[in-house]
Amino acid sequence: MPPIRDKFAIHSKAVVCQDVDLKGDITIGPGTVVHPKAAIFALVGPIVIGAGCIIEEAVIIVNRRKDIMRIGDNNLFEIGCRVECPSIGDFNTISTRARVHNTVRMTNHCVVGAQCLVVPAEDETLGEYTCIYGPAADRRIWSGRGQVQEADLRMKHAEYLREMLPKFNRLRRSDGT
Amino acid sequence: MWPNIQYYCPCLSSANALTPPPPILASSSASFHSLHNLYFCEECDAVRCNRCVSVEVSGYYCPNCLFEVPSASVRAEKNRCARNCFSCPICRATLSVVASDPPDDGTGRPITPLNNVGEGPYLLYCNYCRWDSTEVGITFEKPTGLAGTRWLVHFVSNAYIRVVAIDLSSTAQLQKYEDSAPESLEFERLKEHFEPFLRTSSLSSSTHLLPPTSHHLHTSSATAAASAALSRDIPGISKYNPLSRSRSGRDRTANKDEMAEYKSRVEVGLFGQLGSGGDDADVELLRCTETVGEIAKLEQRWGNSWITSLRMSELRPLRIPLHSKVSKRCPACRHILIKPEQKAQSVRYKIKLAAANYLPALSVGFPQTQAAKRALGKGVEPRNVGVMLAGITNNTFRVALTNPLYDPIQVRLSPQRVTDGRGFQVSLPLTPFSIGAFAEAWEYDDDEDMFGVEDDELGLEVGRGSRDKDARGRTKNVGVLERRANVTVVGGEVNVHRSYRGQVKFNMLVSYTYRSDDPLPSEDGAGTPSRAVVKTPEVKTFSFYTVVDLGPVLSKDDSESR
Ligand SMILES: [Zn+2]
Ligand SMILES: [Zn+2]
Ligand SMILES: [Zn+2]
Ligand SMILES: [Zn+2]
């Protein structure tokens, strides 16, 4: 395996803390917030993160595949979760200490509950509004009721973090600037 | 789990026998407890366990909203929170009250900025599995614990009404739904039927209260009341009395005259009308089921007060069950051993006589012996297979003793001998040894206090290891191995006969001598057999039994082959 070449493209409106572990070819979109102690590893293919995502402390995002790992907009990665999905749509929530394997693709509005393990042996795509919960990682389909309020809350959450995090953390900028 | 040490509470043994049962008996486990589960009665100078203490409820509260529910309303509210607290029927998480979504532009973004209050109708929403109450047709007009919610509560407690949409503004309508629940009606009818009998029987039983039959001399009034309640006559059921059969027959006829025959609301054959539709409907449902997911799991149903539907999609939110705070009393002298603070928010205790604050804490472990190392080298946790080897005379183990008292103590260990010659023998230092005083962490200014424990502080003979180091310079195994602060570590050995198989488990008497602030107690040694006055009046001795479990014995061949 050739050594990983670091190449970070961080949008000027993104908030990425200095104390973040980045490896490989990574693009971070506008308005996305990356907390300190998060780790984003593009081990083989690049990782492209969209707009308005929140990546909390101790989150690990790994791409082990050759293809680009695309993460859409307004996703929330809660503290300590580990995600290796080849693709993630919009408005998904991966809760605290959940783990999603690289066999899983996520569409939109999915929820992975706290500490849930989603590690199917075969490739699988989680349909829209799939909700995984409980110690046995049970699944159900969310009706979508409450999603407007949740989306609104997600955006306010990101907005607040973009305002507050720079007051207490040094920020990382793109390689070029 | 081994190795471990448990403490003995003598409450199960007959006639004040202080010796615990042989640990090889399976039933002995009921008499042994871990130290943190035990209490200590200062009055009786005795260990008390959760089995022998008497328990009193000191208050009820909702674990979610922490509202303290007066005991008078606990029964009326059917032991569940009557405020805004519900648990999710799917995943048991607490539900929150949320407003309905405003109209959106199709992308999930609201057209107008959201205000904080939101708009009705409101629904119960699970933040965890995303279930919401509109799935079972429950919505309501106001977000807080107003009359609407109140009615919802009643609705839920009789959760088998086959309605889809409820208009919560119409309380009269809900009242009707509630009253029409067949089980509820039947229950009310039964209560009505038995009411006069219960009233007369409580009158008659109060006139001739039975004398307390307990053997305990100091039976508490609470215990007495409870036993009186248990031995009270139940109308229609005569008390079992083998000597006077004719009398009981007369009782029965007398009761027959008093009690009218009860007629149930529905005929027995028509129970299918009740609740979810009865057995036939359940069978039908199971016949038509296509996936397991359609059927509610046992965990989702057993928290219900009444029968619920088998169908997952029909499960309803549950009011959260109340919790209680209890206090515990010594069974002999009625003094309180532990009592929580009244307020639900508080996790502190007003009184807490934990045994851990009186008795030295013992823990047992193994040094890194050859056997343990061998097991580890093979990737096997020694914990899972055993480290005691048969046919080896010096299987070593260690006991660490921690002193909770502010004064140094002298401890003497007396392991009980196993009578079977082909079993195992335990060697431990039999002479007393000292353990330093407990000190708060901030009292250690520098290192000197950590080590220089005065051995003869109590003026008693101090135990030395039975062999410090023998002539060939081998390190000692039996004796005091280590002393630091308020911890003393002693080593022991087990000689396991080569034919012995089974657990190395033995009882051990622990006696410790401590300096007491109390004046000498008067001569009432009968009630406190474990206490004896030693030498000077200020020094007292307390003894307690423990059971030490060192795990299973391995034969030598077993361990070699692994
Ligand atoms: Zn007991
Ligand atoms: Zn409550
Ligand atoms: Zn739920
Ligand atoms: Zn007592």
Side-chain angles (χ1 to χ4, degrees):
Chain A
M1 202 168 78
I4 304 163
R5 270 203 47 216
D6 287 348
K7 179 169 163 277
F8 311 136
I10 300 172
H11 192 275
S12 59
K13 290 221 171 74
V15 171
V16 180
C17 295
Q18 187 69 52
D19 190 10
V20 164
D21 206 353
L22 302 179
K23 275 196 189 102
D25 183 351
I26 295 165
T27 307
I28 297 178
T32 285
V33 175
V34 186
H35 284 71
K37 302 286 180 201
I40 304 173
F41 297 152
L43 295 181
V44 188
I47 295 179
V48 178
I49 301 175
C53 291
I54 301 169
I55 297 171
E56 295 186 346
E57 290 89 345
V59 168
I60 303 173
I61 298 175
V62 183
N63 183 13
R64 297 178 190 279
R65 301 195 174 199
K66 276 206 205 85
D67 306 326
I68 302 176
M69 173 178 182
R70 283 189 194 279
I71 297 176
D73 302 339
N74 301 102
N75 295 294
L76 171 62
F77 297 85
E78 290 187 353
I79 294 169
C81 69
R82 182 182 178 126
V83 180
E84 305 192 0
C85 307
S87 76
I88 295 179
D90 303 334
F91 284 109
N92 296 289
T93 302
I94 293 118
S95 307
T96 304
R97 289 181 61 111
R99 218 178 146 161
V100 191
H101 208 231
N102 62 23
T103 46
V104 182
R105 287 167 189 271
M106 290 173 89
T107 54
N108 306 311
H109 298 282
C110 295
V111 182
V112 181
Q115 267 229 296
C116 283
L117 287 179
V118 192
V119 289
E122 311 259 298
D123 277 9
E124 186 184 359
T125 303
L126 296 185
E128 297 210 341
Y129 298 102
T130 299
C131 179
I132 299 178
Y133 65 95
D138 295 314
R139 296 184 183 194
R140 62 193 308 277
I141 302 296
W142 176 24
S143 67
R145 273 185 289 270
Q147 63 166 313
V148 178
Q149 292 167 87
E150 187 173 304
D152 181 64
L153 184 68
R154 176 75 44 84
M155 284 181 261
K156 283 179 181 152
H157 183 185
E159 205 174 292
Y160 176 81
L161 289 171
R162 281 195 295 272
E163 193 182 313
M164 298 307 286
L165 273 185
K167 295 185 180 171
F168 304 98
N169 293 278
R170 286 170 187 278
L171 297 190
R172 225 180 236 249
R173 291 286 156 220
S174 261
D175 301 331
T177 55
Chain B
M1 214 44 186
W2 54 269
N4 81 358
I5 290 192
Q6 292 199 304
Y7 290 62
Y8 174 64
C9 177
C11 60
L12 268 178
S13 60
S14 53
N16 278 340
L18 276 174
T19 10
I24 245 61
L25 298 180
S27 61
S28 72
S29 66
S31 302
F32 290 101
H33 315 269
S34 42
L35 180 59
H36 65 261
N37 284 331
L38 292 173
Y39 306 99
F40 191 87
C41 179
E42 284 190 331
E43 214 64 30
C44 308
D45 205 20
V47 170
R48 302 289 180 215
C49 71
N50 275 319
R51 206 200 69 87
C52 57
V53 294
S54 52
V55 178
E56 288 162 22
V57 172
S58 64
Y60 298 89
Y61 66 98
C62 167
N64 186 50
C65 63
L66 296 180
F67 181 85
E68 282 150 51
V69 185
S71 39
S73 34
V74 168
R75 193 185 287 193
E77 292 169 0
K78 298 200 164 76
N79 300 323
R80 291 173 187 262
C81 182
R83 276 139 291 277
N84 259 341
C85 307
F86 300 90
S87 67
C88 173
I90 307 298
C91 73
R92 304 283 95 146
T94 304
L95 298 173
S96 41
V97 178
V98 299
S100 297
D101 267 348
D104 65 332
D105 59 3
T107 62
R109 289 170 178 82
I111 297 166
T112 47
L114 294 174
N115 59 4
N116 287 334
V117 185
E119 293 156 49
Y122 295 87
L123 35 124
L124 293 166
Y125 179 72
C126 175
N127 272 310
Y128 196 51
C129 72
R130 307 287 158 131
W131 178 91
D132 72 79
S133 59
T134 48
E135 293 184 23
V136 289
I138 301 174
T139 57
F140 46 112
E141 301 294 302
K142 285 174 180 156
T144 45
L146 301 170
T149 317
R150 180 70 201 190
W151 285 114
L152 179 71
V153 163
H154 281 283
F155 172 73
V156 171
S157 72
N158 302 298
Y160 25 69
I161 305 159
R162 273 155 276 156
V163 279
V164 177
I166 314 152
D167 179 8
L168 281 149
S169 58
S170 165
T171 50
Q173 198 183 343
L174 251 176
Q175 183 82 56
K176 212 177 74 198
Y177 281 132
E178 183 193 330
D179 290 349
S180 66
E183 282 96 334
S184 165
L185 285 175
E186 192 73 57
F187 185 61
E188 291 304 321
R189 194 185 166 98
L190 270 169
K191 276 205 292 201
E192 223 167 81
H193 179 76
F194 284 113
E195 194 13 284
F197 294 97
L198 289 171
R199 211 183 311 119
T200 46
S201 80
S202 67
L203 279 176
S204 65
S205 69
S206 61
T207 52
H208 57 267
L209 255 181
L210 290 155
T213 48
S214 172
H215 304 294
H216 248 295
L217 277 175
H218 317 272
T219 311
S220 72
S221 61
T223 321
S227 71
L230 283 173
S231 55
R232 197 157 56 207
D233 280 323
I234 299 164
I237 302 168
S238 57
K239 191 177 273 155
Y240 175 66
N241 190 345
L243 294 176
S244 59
R245 236 188 240 152
S246 56
R247 205 193 128 249
S248 71
R250 201 172 59 234
D251 271 6
R252 206 177 317 146
T253 43
N255 277 325
K256 210 177 216 168
D257 289 342
E258 287 167 33
M259 195 188 295
E261 201 179 321
Y262 177 74
K263 283 209 176 63
S264 70
R265 274 186 66 255
V266 283
E267 308 230 343
V268 181
L270 295 178
F271 269 109
Q273 298 170 344
L274 289 181
S276 55
D279 293 344
D280 293 343
D282 286 348
V283 170
E284 196 52 41
L285 168 67
L286 290 174
R287 268 208 193 105
C288 306
T289 301
E290 282 170 15
T291 62
V292 190
E294 291 171 34
I295 304 297
K297 294 177 188 166
L298 188 57
E299 305 95 82
Q300 291 167 332
R301 290 187 289 129
W302 68 8
N304 284 296
S305 303
W306 303 91
I307 305 164
T308 51
S309 169
L310 276 181
R311 225 185 280 268
M312 180 104 104
S313 59
E314 283 176 13
L315 293 175
R316 290 164 192 282
L318 285 171
R319 292 188 293 143
I320 287 182
L322 299 178
H323 284 200
S324 61
K325 287 193 166 198
V326 297
S327 45
K328 296 175 179 173
R329 286 177 188 276
C330 172
C333 70
R334 301 247 315 125
H335 278 84
I336 289 180
L337 300 174
I338 187 160
K339 185 188 176 76
E341 279 185 6
Q342 190 65 39
K343 276 173 66 178
Q345 287 96 326
S346 169
V347 291
R348 284 202 291 265
Y349 295 92
K350 273 187 191 147
I351 300 169
K352 188 178 168 195
L353 302 174
N357 293 331
Y358 296 85
L359 311 184
L362 277 70
S363 65
V364 62
F366 301 112
Q368 279 287 319
T369 58
Q370 289 303 102
K373 273 186 199 143
R374 211 165 31 228
L376 276 176
K378 299 239 167 77
V380 188
E381 264 304 295
R383 189 167 277 280
N384 297 332
V385 289
V387 298
M388 294 281 123
L389 282 182
I392 296 272
T393 56
N394 59 347
N395 289 293
T396 51
F397 68 96
R398 281 168 188 188
V399 181
L401 300 98
T402 309
N403 179 10
L405 306 177
Y406 289 102
D407 289 306
I409 56 173
Q410 293 284 320
V411 179
R412 180 201 287 270
L413 303 177
S414 330
Q416 255 179 8
R417 298 191 52 163
V418 179
T419 41
D420 184 3
R422 277 179 308 196
F424 55 88
Q425 284 91 45
V426 179
S427 325
L428 271 167
L430 299 178
T431 46
F433 53 88
S434 70
I435 312 178
F438 170 77
E440 310 287 354
W442 57 83
E443 290 175 27
Y444 292 111
D445 297 333
D446 44 77
D447 280 349
E448 68 179 326
D449 281 354
M450 302 286 279
F451 301 104
V453 177
E454 246 66 43
D455 277 349
D456 49 0
E457 206 153 332
L458 283 175
L460 294 173
E461 191 208 340
V462 174
R464 288 267 161 242
S466 57
R467 47 183 143 119
D468 276 332
K469 221 166 215 198
D470 67 20
R472 275 152 279 159
R474 242 176 45 183
T475 45
K476 65 173 182 179
N477 286 328
V478 178
V480 175
L481 302 180
E482 194 182 337
R483 272 204 187 95
R484 61 192 143 78
N486 62 331
V487 182
T488 296
V489 180
V490 298
E493 276 182 356
V494 187
N495 175 1
V496 185
H497 193 271
R498 85 190 113 72
S499 65
Y500 182 75
R501 296 291 177 275
Q503 298 279 120
V504 176
K505 200 172 177 186
F506 57 94
N507 290 336
M508 182 169 74
L509 179 70
V510 181
S511 307
Y512 66 99
T513 310
Y514 61 102
R515 185 181 290 146
S516 163
D517 303 328
D518 306 335
L520 250 186
S522 53
E523 266 317 295
D524 62 345
T528 58
S530 56
R531 172 180 279 189
V533 182
V534 176
K535 286 184 181 174
T536 52
E538 292 81 27
V539 175
K540 289 177 186 168
T541 299
F542 185 82
S543 303
F544 58 93
Y545 270 100
T546 58
V547 64
V548 183
D549 186 358
L550 295 175
V553 161
L554 279 183
S555 80
K556 251 179 163 176
D557 316 332
D558 286 352
S559 76
E560 298 303 339
S561 66
R562 251 186 303 101

